């Protein structure tokens, strides 16, 4: 299963057609066999669309399907081998490897014979497979066509309260909380359980209990641990210590960690959540003993298995009920993006679909993802009446979950299945997964979009279909996760050729093609046994510390090799044998040298060395790899980037380059027309050139520029002449209008470049993210308020800025009638000399024409972060005009005396503010978090306040007294021991 036959046959037929026309391949004796192979594959374009489903229901068809899968992987290998060989024949002798002559006629004959034998074997297998005529159906008129379309980013906003829990959960939360609190007294212990099938909302219910105001009030320490099937004991103990408020970075062994955990919780009341427990030993054998040292503790466990709770001696078990149909229908409508006007039209058929989802929130959401691509009632009825049940699938993976997969276009099916190789709860980065998919050959270039842009659209489409869950912290949905049930579905569908190996794995797969290895695996299996392997993924597995010298002579089919965060120090010379390797990720490893044999990796497209802090040089052979598309060198010890990057005409992503001696020169960027993501470091070493180096970069989307800077306390200062030269370098780095992200990471110039200060809305009309970090000598900020699409603005370490005034707003965007018309997040950090922040929007409007006097101020701003601005005396008076500002965090503003007149703010955190005395006129404030505010003692007009948490605030009682009659019904939790009693802030994102 898990073979997307239609996508593969179409791709292979096209590639074989190109091979036949290739002049080099024309000289091969295998041309006739290649033509026959192409004809054979054309036959398989008529395979029944429901063949994969039939294979799960019929063992005979399953065997046919598995054979077909193996052959398709073999076809992919042989096509790549022929293409690589033809490419070798065209290379000059020095491009192959040092001391290696041009491929001789004898070698060519050997290769031709080897390929001819393999293609002949494949054709014979295909002839046998074709004998099963019942698998073919020539009527393809109903085949779904897939085309890349623009994804509406606003359609995948973070989930809201109703979507998560439904209306019936509140009573369950109240009952369990009351049970815990009533039994909470000294020396008491209890284990309570939440049991239910996957996708029913166990974790959501536990989150509600964990963050309930009464739980927060009763317990001193609150710990949440997610217990994956591949957890490690040391990793889990470390997580518990960190969540409890202590550091343990230098400790590595269980023997060292357990005493620290005991010291952290000893004599305190503890509330512990163990989420997604599969075996009771995590509690009985590991955590019970240290937690017995607490003053009292109560444990909340979520699990699918009642036996787990029995073995943990749970005193109470709550079984989660399914979502009622009314809440389910509302969830379905929201997640399928139907407008409120359409709900009546779809209500009846939607109700039927919710019933088929059997009250499971996850099922409702993924089916809603399918329905989001259907716009008529008739299409919804077609989904309702289609075949949902597939015999052979485990019950919890069938029905709605399989329906959501089966309705994916072929390319998206492959991408979805691939994500199941990743570890549980893995943060899936948009850029990373796009590279992996392209390297695997899943992404088909269409129209005028680059293949990487199309891969990103695939990622966003999986989010829109609710098959990936965006992490709310990222406005651009740059990271997401996959629900464990969907991950299990992907693993089941690919079990014949792919495996994620964890501590519980006991199955072996013949002809294994893809292998992911959990960080919990203590002994890496003998990989040379898997000669057909094409993807190998290890993330943060510290047990992997060496590679056998000859291993890559066996794994010649590898295309994707990820060893990120492992302890390897050396890469053997045999890596040069991986002629099919397209992606090599060695980031955050201990490697100190790369072998020259890497110059033979002529298929390599993606190389990541990010965070390799022991690596100080690059092999000269690297510059011969003309297919490089992504090269990441940031945060390494490399002190010289060789000249020749201009030869990499396919470069899409280049990060961490810098000028040095006879090495890389900025002028080489002029020769990279396809570059979309660029990070240039150490610009203090760069020399100005006579022309604009980015003038040909018409598709540039991300630009990061930086000079070497020290910490904020000990700034690196440059001489005047050097600063002038740096200023000239920045001035010539004019980006294209396509720019979406810009980062200044260290800029010693006294003024920002002209292209950032003069009409930036024309120079960068698509800019969404602007980060100005450590621009230490600029006294005036650019007019970011004029940027029509700006979502995120961060200003950090601008030492010379004393006043933020109307220059930041600019002239506004007239077409949008607003300053910062789309800004959602504003971060002002480490502004050591900032004294005044003024908006003065009224005065600006008075100076404008009559029809422009009603300009809005930041109408979309949701969050403000103001940290380490010790001289700031007051917030802007006009801030009350920001109508959607819901959340503010103010820390280290020692001159600030009051936070007042913010009518929209619902969440406020104030920390370490020496002079803050008053919080007033926040009429919608619900949650207040105060810490280390020694004079805070006044509160006025906080009518909706529900929760107050105060740590080390000496006048907490006076503050409470100011609430007067309002305090009734408000949770007020005060601590004076410096212990963090705040709820998990991530839940407020």
């Amino acid at each position: 299963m898990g073979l997307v036959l239609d996508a593969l046959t179409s791709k292979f037929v096209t590639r074989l057609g190109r091979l036949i026309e290739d002049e080099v391949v024309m000289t091969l004796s295998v041309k006739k066999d290649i033509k026959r192979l192409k004809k054979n594959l054309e036959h398989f374009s008529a395979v029944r669309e429901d063949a994969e489903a039939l294979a799960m229901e019929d063992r005979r068809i399953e065997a046919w399907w598995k054979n077909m899968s193996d052959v398709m992987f073999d076809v992919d290998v042989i096509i790549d081998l022929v293409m690589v060989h033809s490419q070798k024949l065209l290379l000059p002798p020095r491009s192959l490897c040092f001391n290696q002559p041009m491929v001789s006629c004898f070698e060519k004959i050997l290769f031709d014979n080897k390929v001819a034998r393999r293609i002949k074997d494949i054709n014979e297998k295909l002839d046998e497979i074709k004998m099963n005529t019942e698998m073919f159906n020539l009527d393809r008129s109903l085949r779904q066509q897939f085309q890349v379309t623009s994804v509406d980013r606003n359609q995948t906003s973070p989930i809201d309260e109703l979507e998560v829990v439904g209306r019936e959960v509140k009573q369950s939360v109240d009952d369990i909380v009351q049970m815990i609190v009533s039994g909470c007294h000294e020396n008491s212990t209890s284990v309570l359980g939440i049991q239910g099938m996957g996708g029913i909302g166990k974790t959501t219910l536990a989150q509600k209990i964990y963050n309930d105001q009464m739980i927060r009030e009763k317990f001193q320490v609150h710990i949440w641990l997610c217990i994956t099937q591949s957890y490690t004991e040391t990793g889990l103990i470390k997580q518990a210590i960190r969540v409890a408020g202590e550091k343990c970075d230098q400790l590595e062994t269980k023997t060292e960690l357990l005493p620290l955990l005991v010291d952290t919780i000893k004599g305190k009341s503890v509330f512990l959540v163990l989420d997604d427990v599969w075996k009771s030993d995590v509690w009985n054998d590991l955590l019970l003993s240290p937690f017995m040292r607490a003053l009292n503790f109560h444990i909340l466990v979520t699990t699918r298995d009642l036996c787990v709770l029995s073995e943990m001696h749970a005193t109470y078990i709550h079984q989660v009920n399914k979502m009622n149909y009314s809440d389910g229908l509302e969830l379905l409508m929201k997640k399928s993006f139907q407008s409120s006007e359409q709900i009546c039209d779809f209500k009846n058929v939607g109700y039927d679909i919710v019933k088929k989802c059997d009250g499971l929130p996850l099922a409702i959401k993924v089916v809603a993802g399918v329905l989001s691509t259907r716009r008529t009632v008739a299409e919804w009825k077609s989904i309702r009446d289609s075949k949902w049940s597939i015999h052979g699938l485990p019950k919890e993976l069938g029905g709605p979950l399989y329906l959501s997969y089966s309705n994916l276009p072929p390319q998206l099916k492959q991408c979805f299945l691939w994500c199941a190789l990743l570890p549980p709860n893995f943060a899936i980065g948009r850029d990373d997964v796009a590279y992996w998919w392209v390297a695997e050959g899943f992404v088909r270039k269409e129209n005028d979009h680059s293949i990487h842009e199309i891969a990103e659209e695939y990622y966003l489409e999986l989010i829109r279909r609710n098959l990936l869950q965006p992490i709310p912290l990222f406005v651009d949905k740059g990271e997401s996760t996959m629900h464990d049930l969907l991950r299990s579905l992907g693993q089941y569908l690919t079990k014949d050729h792919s495996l994620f190996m964890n501590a519980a794995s006991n199955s072996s797969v013949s002809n294994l093609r893809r292998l992911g290895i959990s960080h919990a695996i203590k002994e890496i299996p003998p990989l040379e046994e898997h000669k057909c392997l094409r993807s190998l993924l290890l993330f943060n597995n510290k047990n992997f510390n060496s590679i056998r010298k000859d291993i890559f002579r066996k794994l010649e089919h590898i295309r994707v090799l990820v060893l990120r965060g492992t302890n390897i120090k050396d890469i053997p010379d045999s890596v040069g044998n991986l002629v099919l390797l397209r992606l090599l990720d060695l980031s955050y490893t201990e490697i100190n040298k790369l072998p020259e044999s890497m110059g033979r990796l002529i298929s390599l497209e993606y190389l990541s060395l990010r965070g390799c802090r022991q690596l100080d040089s690059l092999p000269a052979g690297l510059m011969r790899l003309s297919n490089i598309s992504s090269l990441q060198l940031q945060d390494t010890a490399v002190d010289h980037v060789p000249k020749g990057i201009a030869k990499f005409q396919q470069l899409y992503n280049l990060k961490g380059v810098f000028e040095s001696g006879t090495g890389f020169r900025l002028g080489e960027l002029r020769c990279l027309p396809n570059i979309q993501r660029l990070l240039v470091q150490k610009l203090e070493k760069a020399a100005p050139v006579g022309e604009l180096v980015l003038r040909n970069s018409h598709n540039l989307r991300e630009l990061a520029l930086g000079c070497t800077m020290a910490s904020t306390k000990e700034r690196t200062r440059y001489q005047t002449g050097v600063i002038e030269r740096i200023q000239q370098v920045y001035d010539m780095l004019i980006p294209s209008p396509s720019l979406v992200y810009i980062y200044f990471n260290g800029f010693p110039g006294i003024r920002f470049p002209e292209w950032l200060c003069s009409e930036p809305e024309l120079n960068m009309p698509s800019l969404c993210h602007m980060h100005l970090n450590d621009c230490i000598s600029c006294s005036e900020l650019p007019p970011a308020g004029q940027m029509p699409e700006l979502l995120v603005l961060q200003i950090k370490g601008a030492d010379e800025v004393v006043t933020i005034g109307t220059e930041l707003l600019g002239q506004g965007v007239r077409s949008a009638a607003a300053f910062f018309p789309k800004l959602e997040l504003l971060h002002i950090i480490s502004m050591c000399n900032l004294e005044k922040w003024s908006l003065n929007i009224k005065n600006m409007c008075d100076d404008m024409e009559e029809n422009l006097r009603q300009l809005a101020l930041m109408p979309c701003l949701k969050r403000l972060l103001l940290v380490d601005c010790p001289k700031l005396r007051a917030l802007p008076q006009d801030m009350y005009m920001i109508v959607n500002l819901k959340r503010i965090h103010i820390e280290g503003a020692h001159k600030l005396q009051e936070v007042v007149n913010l009518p929209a703010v619902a969440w406020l955190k104030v920390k370490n503010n020496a002079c803050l005395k008053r919080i007033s006129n926040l009429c919608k404030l619900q949650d207040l978090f105060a810490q280390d505010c020694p004079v805070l003692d006044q509160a006025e007009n906080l009518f909706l306040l529900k929760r107050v948490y105060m740590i080390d605030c000496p006048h907490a009682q006076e503050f409470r007294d100011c609430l007067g009659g309002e305090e009734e019904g408000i949770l007020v939790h005060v601590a004076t021991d410096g212990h963090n009693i705040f709820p998990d802030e991530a839940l407020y994102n």
Side-chain angles (χ1 to χ4, degrees), residues 73-100:
F73 281 120
D74 292 340
V75 170
D76 197 21
V77 169
I78 203 66
I79 292 175
D80 280 346
L81 285 174
V82 174
M83 293 185 74
V84 167
H85 186 67
S86 67
Q87 187 177 349
K88 278 186 176 181
L89 294 177
L90 295 174
L91 292 175
R94 67 179 298 274
S95 296
L96 294 175
C97 191
F98 293 128
N99 303 320
Q100 188 177 37

Side-chain angles (χ1 to χ4, degrees), residues 112-170:
D112 288 357
N113 290 334
K114 178 180 178 181
V115 169
R117 285 196 305 271
R118 294 182 69 167
I119 295 179
K120 183 177 180 181
D121 289 343
I122 291 173
N123 279 321
E124 289 176 353
K125 289 179 182 177
L126 288 173
D127 287 339
E128 292 178 10
I129 292 172
K130 280 195 296 184
M131 299 298 290
N132 192 335
T133 57
E134 118 182 42
M135 293 307 301
F136 298 91
N137 176 7
L138 297 179
D139 181 11
R140 312 292 280 176
S141 59
L142 299 179
R143 173 166 299 283
Q144 179 184 0
Q145 296 298 314
F146 177 58
Q147 194 170 15
V148 174
T149 56
S150 178
V151 176
D152 183 358
R153 273 69 170 170
N154 293 325
Q155 289 184 335
T156 52
S157 57
I159 48 185
D160 63 21
E161 185 82 1
L162 175 67
E163 293 172 17
V164 176
V165 299
R167 298 189 180 99
E168 295 182 353
V169 171
K170 186 179 185 303

Side-chain angles (χ1 to χ4, degrees), residues 254-271:
K254 179 178 173 181
T255 304
E256 295 172 321
L257 289 164
L258 280 175
L260 180 55
L261 176 59
V262 169
D263 290 342
T264 303
I265 61 178
K266 186 177 180 180
K268 297 177 181 177
S269 58
V270 179
F271 183 70

